[in-house]
Amino acid sequence: MQKILIVEDDIELNQGISYSLEREGYLVISAHSLKEARRLFWQECADLVLLDVNLPDGEGFALCRWMKEQKEIPVIFLTARDMEEDALNGYETGADDYVTKPFSMKILLKKMNVILKRADTGGRNIYDDGFLKIDFDMAKMEAGGTECAVTPTEFRMLRLFTDNAGQLLTYSVLLEQLWDCDGQFVDRHTLAVNVNRLRGKIEDEKHKYISNVYGMGYQWLK
């Protein structure tokens, strides 16, 4: 059972997140200050930390930096501070993700799942849900135990989708990110062709991954 340390001084929010995580099978430890979090960090050996920025005795940025210096542990910021410089500061301290409040619990759970699986594979960039396995470092993919040939564009798409599981990726976001390395722009029609080709490689009747949100974009369902 994976253990999550929640560092959040809002007692009601802390309890709400704890309840949701426990329903998903996680073991949860709660802290409401930097001091308490430092003690629990060594005492409980958590697998992942959910960390607020504004705490009664200081900022979570300092705690994140301190934890990363002690050992490699995944950290996700959960904060109301939504300025770009705050997010950049969070990533610079070593955070694995920066989520602003209010947030979707379903999306947070997806992010945690991806980050924890990555940590379990020794830091390698691997997505594995039991049916679909993608090794981004080795550029290999298997669906149902069968290795599939995937193009560089399809791998970039898979990276975008799995990193943003549960979120709608608009056509404009995907088109901006899928600028081919040789300078060839991927237009909307080409995007649709690539998505359909990718779905043919990774989906079957029991496993659906990519949803087309008509007129808006695509969403990774897993």
Side-chain angles (χ1 to χ4, degrees):
M1 184 179 293
Q2 292 173 307
K3 189 180 294 185
I4 310 300
L5 172 59
I6 302 174
V7 187
E8 168 62 64
D9 64 321
D10 184 320
I11 295 176
E12 185 175 346
L13 178 58
N14 196 318
Q15 291 176 341
I17 298 172
S18 297
Y19 176 74
S20 296
L21 294 184
E22 287 169 351
R23 287 188 61 185
E24 295 296 320
Y26 292 107
L27 183 62
V28 180
I29 314 104
S30 293
H32 303 89
S33 66
L34 295 178
K35 182 179 180 181
E36 188 177 10
R38 286 174 186 265
R39 176 179 61 82
L40 292 174
F41 177 80
W42 290 118
Q43 182 177 311
E44 298 292 344
C45 297
D47 297 294
L48 182 144
V49 180
L50 298 177
L51 176 60
D52 192 9
V53 173
N54 296 322
L55 293 161
D57 51 349
E59 289 191 333
F61 296 135
L63 180 62
C64 180
R65 185 178 292 107
W66 176 81
M67 289 189 295
K68 289 289 188 175
E69 289 173 351
Q70 309 309 308
K71 63 179 182 179
E72 186 53 46
I73 183 171
V75 177
I76 300 177
F77 276 108
L78 298 180
T79 176
R81 290 172 57 165
D82 58 0
M83 299 296 290
E84 183 179 89
E85 53 265 35
D86 290 322
L88 291 173
N89 195 9
Y91 286 116
E92 287 171 1
T93 62
D96 296 82
D97 212 331
Y98 191 96
V99 178
T100 57
K101 303 172 183 175
F103 56 88
S104 163
M105 196 65 211
K106 288 183 179 180
I107 291 178
L108 175 61
L109 287 167
K110 291 292 186 183
K111 289 177 177 289
M112 290 174 57
N113 185 47
V114 170
I115 291 171
L116 285 167
K117 282 184 176 179
R118 188 176 300 163
D120 285 343
T121 57
R124 288 179 62 189
N125 293 315
I126 292 178
Y127 174 94
D128 188 355
D129 65 5
F131 176 80
L132 178 64
K133 181 176 181 179
I134 311 164
D135 188 328
F136 291 100
D137 291 336
M138 300 299 292
K140 292 182 178 180
M141 184 184 78
E142 294 180 3
T146 302
E147 187 168 343
C148 305
V150 186
T151 68
T153 298
E154 288 168 344
F155 258 109
R156 291 198 296 274
M157 290 170 58
L158 286 166
R159 175 87 278 176
L160 281 170
F161 281 131
T162 55
D163 280 351
N164 297 278
Q167 298 185 61
L168 171 66
L169 294 178
T170 63
Y171 297 125
S172 59
V173 167
L174 287 164
L175 291 173
E176 180 181 348
Q177 295 295 322
L178 295 173
W179 187 283
D180 210 342
C181 55
D182 62 2
Q184 182 180 0
F185 186 69
V186 179
D187 62 22
R188 186 162 163 177
H189 172 71
T190 306
L191 173 63
V193 170
N194 277 274
V195 168
N196 289 334
R197 185 181 296 126
L198 180 60
R199 291 180 67 183
K201 295 179 180 180
I202 65 176
E203 296 186 348
D204 60 18
E205 291 184 359
K206 295 182 179 180
H207 301 88
K208 302 298 181 184
Y209 290 94
I210 303 173
S211 173
N212 183 5
V213 182
Y214 186 74
M216 300 180 67
Y218 296 93
Q219 183 180 26
W220 187 262
L221 301 175
K222 296 293 184 178

